[in-house]
Amino acid sequence: MARRLPLIALGAALVPVLLVLGPILATALHGGGLTALRGSDLQALWFTLWQAALSALISCALAVPLARALARRRFVGRTVLITALGAPFILPVIAAILGLLAVFGRSGLLNQALGGIGLPTLTIYGPHGVILAHVFFNLPLATRMVLQGWQSIPAERLRLAATLDFDGAAMWRHLERPMLRATLPGAFVAIFLVCLGSFAVALTLGGGPSATTVELAIYQAFRFDYDTGRAASLALVQVALCLMAVGIGAKLSAPAAFGAGLDRPALFAPSTRLAQWADAAIIAASALFLLLPIALILWRGLPALATMPPMVWQAALTSLTIALGSTALTLTLAMTLALHAPRHRWTEGAAMLPLAASGLVLGTGLFLMIQPFAAPTSLLIPVTLVVNATLSLPFVTRLLLPEIHALQADYDRLATSLDMGGMAKMRFLTLPRLARPLGFSAGLACAFSMGDLGVITLFSDGQTRTLPLAIFQLMGSYRLDQAAAAATLLLTLTFGLFALFDRIGHHAGPR
C-alpha cells in the first residue's frame, strides 16, 4: 500500500501538469517558438503584480473583522447570510460586473446620490475599478477561509480563555494571532493568484494600457497580433509568477497547533455593547456592499423570465451536466493530491499549477492538439468538463490543505495506534472530519463550472452551448431583457447548487 499511494498521487498530478504545459507547448510550436516580450508586456506584468497584491491585501484586511463578527454573533438568519455572502465569488464575471456598474457606474446609484447632493461624480474605470471588482469577488472567499479558522479553534480553548478572564490583548496573543498566522497566508495567496489571471475584469473596467493584466496582454497577442509565440512567452511568465507565489505562501504558512477538541459548540465570552454595535455595523456594511449588485441583477432579470427562448433551457441542462461531472473529477483529484501534500510537497505545486494557466492559451492549445485527430466540436462537452475541473483544482486543494494538515497532526498517531488505515480510515476519520470543507469545495467547483465562458467559446459549433454562452449570444443579438433573464436563471442555479453542497457538508460534519 505504501508503494501504491505515491503512484496514485503521481497519476493525479500528471493530469493538471499535462493539461497546463501541453497546450503552452503546442501554442509555442505553432508560433515557431517563444517570442521576446515588449515594453507594454513588462508594463502589464508590473500592473498585474501590484494590483493582485493590493487586491489580496485589502480583501484579507476586510475579511478579518467581518469573519470575527460572524464568528462571535448569533442572530436569526445568520446561516443564510453567511451562505449569501459567498455569492459574489461564484457569480459569472460578466453578470457581476453588470451589477457593479448598476451601483458604481456612471449612471449608478452612487453617482446619482452624489449628484443629488451637488458633489462630483466618480468613475469606476481604471486601476481602482479593477481593484474594487477584485475585492468584491474575493472578499467572500477570504471571509469564509478566516471564518473556518475561527471555527477550528476548539471550544475548550475558548472556555479556558473565559475562565482565565482573558482580555482582548490576551485573546489576540494566545488564540487569534496563531489562527490568523495559519489562515491568512493561504487566503492571500489564493486571492493573489485569482487576481493574477484576471481577464474579464481588466477588459471591461481597466480602461486602457495602464490597467492591462498579463492575461489581457495574452488576449491582445492572440486577437490583434496573432503572435502565438509571444502569447506562449506571457503564459510561461504567468506560470513562473504562480509558482513563486505558491512557494512564498508555503514558507509563510504555519500550523496554529491548537490541538484536537471535543467538537463542542464554540462559546465566546460576553462582549461590551460597543463591540456588539461595531460587529453589527461591520456585518451590515459588508452585506450591503456584496449583495446590492446581485439584487439589482435580479430586479432587472426576473420580469423577463417568461420570455426566454427554449435554447436557454437546453443550455441550462448542458451546464448542469458539465458542472456536476466537473465537480466529481475536481474533488477526486484534489483529495488525492491534498492528502499526499504534507509528505510530498510536489503534489501541492502540481495542484496549484492550473491557477497560473491562461484560459485562452489552454483552449487554443487544446484546439491545436485535438485538430489533427478529431473535430474539436465532437469532444466539446468532455473537453469542457476536464478543463473546468482542472481550473477549479487549485481553489479546492487550497481549501482542503489546512484541514488536512490539522487532521494528520491531530489524529494520525491515534489512527496508527488503532491500526486504522486504508478505506476504514477514509470512511470513519478522513471523510467525516473533512465533510465541511469538502461540501464548501464541491459548491465552489460546481459554481465555477456553471459560470465558465472560456473553452466553450472556442469549441462550440453554434448548436451545443452552455448557459453563459447562451447569455453571450443573446447579448450579441441585442436581446438584453432575455439575456438578463438568462443571467437570473444562471445565478439561481449556481447559487442553489453552491448552497446545496455547502449544507450537505455542514450536516455531514461532526462539528
Side-chain angles (χ1 to χ4, degrees):
M1 190 66 182
R3 291 182 179 179
R4 290 176 57 191
L5 286 178
L7 291 178
I8 294 173
L10 180 61
L14 281 177
V15 175
V17 170
L18 293 178
L19 278 172
V20 171
L21 299 184
I24 293 177
L25 181 61
T27 305
L29 291 175
H30 183 266
L34 299 176
T35 304
L37 301 182
R38 302 174 180 174
S40 59
D41 298 329
L42 298 179
Q43 184 180 357
L45 175 61
W46 168 242
F47 174 74
T48 301
L49 286 173
W50 78 257
Q51 66 82 20
L54 189 57
S55 299
L57 184 63
I58 295 174
S59 299
C60 290
L62 294 177
V64 171
L66 176 57
R68 191 169 188 260
L70 290 171
R72 294 197 302 183
R73 304 301 164 205
R74 298 293 182 271
F75 51 88
V76 177
R78 174 180 174 274
T79 303
V80 175
L81 179 62
I82 291 175
T83 303
L85 288 179
F89 188 71
I90 61 178
L91 271 179
V93 175
I94 293 298
I97 288 175
L98 287 175
L100 286 174
L101 289 174
V103 179
F104 301 101
R106 188 172 302 166
S107 303
L109 295 179
L110 178 61
N111 278 329
Q112 288 181 19
L114 291 175
I117 57 176
L119 294 176
T121 59
L122 303 174
T123 177
I124 194 175
Y125 299 100
H128 58 282
V130 174
I131 293 170
L132 173 69
H134 285 164
V135 172
F136 173 78
F137 283 118
N138 296 301
L139 175 59
L141 174 65
T143 301
R144 290 299 297 263
M145 294 178 75
V146 177
L147 183 59
Q148 283 191 8
W150 246 293
Q151 292 172 337
S152 69
I153 299 176
E156 290 74 16
R157 304 296 184 275
L158 296 174
R159 293 174 188 273
L160 180 61
T163 303
L164 296 176
D165 198 21
F166 275 10
D167 58 10
M171 285 286 290
W172 165 258
R173 186 167 58 254
H174 295 289
L175 294 178
E176 295 177 341
R177 188 175 65 180
M179 182 277 295
L180 293 174
R181 178 79 173 81
T183 306
L184 282 181
F188 182 90
V189 170
I191 296 170
F192 180 83
L193 292 175
V194 170
C195 300
L196 207 62
S198 176
F199 170 67
V201 171
L203 181 67
T204 53
L205 300 179
S210 62
T212 296
T213 60
V214 171
E215 185 79 357
L216 186 55
I218 292 173
Y219 167 77
Q220 291 168 346
F222 272 131
R223 182 70 175 80
F224 301 115
D225 303 329
Y226 199 63
D227 188 347
T228 54
R230 182 166 143 251
S233 299
L234 287 166
L236 285 177
V237 168
Q238 196 158 325
V239 170
L241 290 176
C242 170
L243 294 179
M244 288 174 58
V246 171
I248 293 172
K251 290 290 185 184
L252 294 177
S253 296
F258 288 124
L262 300 177
D263 296 335
R264 293 171 177 165
L267 182 63
F268 287 86
S271 52
T272 63
R273 185 164 295 275
L274 178 61
Q276 294 176 14
W277 278 107
D279 286 346
I282 291 170
I283 293 172
S286 302
L288 184 66
F289 172 64
L290 296 173
L291 300 181
L292 181 59
I294 301 172
L296 293 177
I297 297 172
L298 297 176
W299 179 75
R300 182 175 184 181
L302 282 175
L305 276 177
T307 66
M308 288 192 305
M311 67 94 169
V312 172
W313 298 104
Q314 183 61 42
L317 182 61
T318 303
S319 286
L320 285 172
T321 304
I322 293 174
L324 294 176
S326 170
T327 300
L329 182 58
T330 302
L331 290 184
T332 303
L333 290 173
M335 277 290 287
T336 305
L337 295 174
L339 284 172
H340 289 83
R343 296 183 179 86
H344 306 282
R345 299 299 299 267
W346 51 268
T347 60
E348 182 180 350
M352 294 297 111
L353 192 57
L355 199 55
S358 162
L360 298 172
V361 173
L362 200 63
T364 305
L366 285 174
F367 180 84
L368 295 173
M369 292 167 67
I370 292 173
Q371 196 174 27
F373 308 101
T377 54
S378 65
L379 299 173
L380 177 62
I381 291 180
V383 167
T384 305
L385 188 153
V386 170
V387 171
N388 286 353
T390 305
L391 294 178
S392 298
L393 182 61
F395 301 96
V396 175
T397 306
R398 177 55 62 187
L399 285 168
L400 292 177
L401 275 175
E403 297 292 334
I404 287 177
H405 278 290
L407 174 70
Q408 295 186 356
D410 295 339
Y411 292 98
D412 260 12
R413 290 184 179 178
L414 177 62
T416 303
S417 67
L418 296 174
D419 196 23
M420 180 186 290
M423 292 305 297
K425 183 180 178 183
M426 181 66 71
R427 178 183 176 187
F428 295 109
L429 177 62
T430 304
L431 289 180
R433 302 299 304 186
L434 296 179
R436 285 191 177 193
L438 275 175
F440 181 64
S441 301
L444 205 60
C446 201
F448 283 168
S449 185
M450 285 292 296
D452 176 68
L453 182 63
V455 178
I456 192 76
T457 58
L458 297 174
F459 286 87
S460 176
D461 56 1
Q463 301 300 319
T464 304
R465 57 177 71 84
T466 59
L467 198 46
L469 182 58
I471 297 170
F472 182 75
Q473 291 173 340
L474 288 171
M475 292 174 65
S477 57
Y478 297 101
R479 298 156 71 180
L480 298 181
D481 287 339
Q482 293 181 342
T488 301
L489 176 62
L490 176 60
L491 174 63
T492 304
L493 291 174
T494 302
F495 191 66
L497 287 170
F498 174 79
L500 175 65
F501 281 115
D502 196 32
R503 293 304 302 165
I504 291 174
H506 273 269
H507 281 293
R511 287 174 286 183

